Amino acid sequence: MFPTLNLLLAAWAAASAVAFGLFAFDKARARGGGRRLPERTLLLAALLGGPGAWLGQQLLRHKTRKQPFATWLGLAVIVNLAAAAAGVWLLR
């Protein structure tokens, strides 16, 4: 692999970890009655780190039924995966 591709994949993995963390944080706030993160923040995190956002939603059972958020999240994850695939293809 090229160094640029390694950097891209590392940044994508880091963004994914951050997205998962944001979903975990928001879930904890939802349970504890604290101030929640705006849905816009979670969707932006999904655009940058799609796999982590999707795993956070599914594993933590967070916002799985809330519409239209769940639909927008799915779209954001698909866009993220397509962008990542395009980046890998261009840098191969």
Side-chain angles (χ1 to χ4, degrees):
M1 277 194 202
F2 297 104
T4 305
L5 183 55
N6 288 338
L7 183 62
L8 175 70
L9 293 175
W12 189 51
S16 189
V18 168
F20 185 90
L22 288 174
F23 270 79
F25 177 79
D26 195 54
K27 178 69 174 190
R29 288 295 183 111
R31 285 183 175 160
R35 185 176 171 131
R36 307 277 304 276
L37 292 174
E39 288 184 351
R40 184 177 302 176
T41 301
L42 296 174
L43 291 172
L44 178 60
L47 277 174
L48 300 174
W54 182 81
L55 284 172
Q57 182 197 37
Q58 298 302 310
L59 295 177
L60 302 171
R61 309 267 316 138
H62 188 50
K63 293 188 174 277
T64 56
R65 295 186 299 173
K66 183 164 188 205
Q67 290 298 337
F69 179 83
T71 301
W72 283 111
L73 179 69
L75 182 61
V77 170
I78 289 169
V79 168
N80 174 266
L81 292 173
V88 168
W89 186 79
L90 290 171
L91 294 174
R92 62 179 161 76

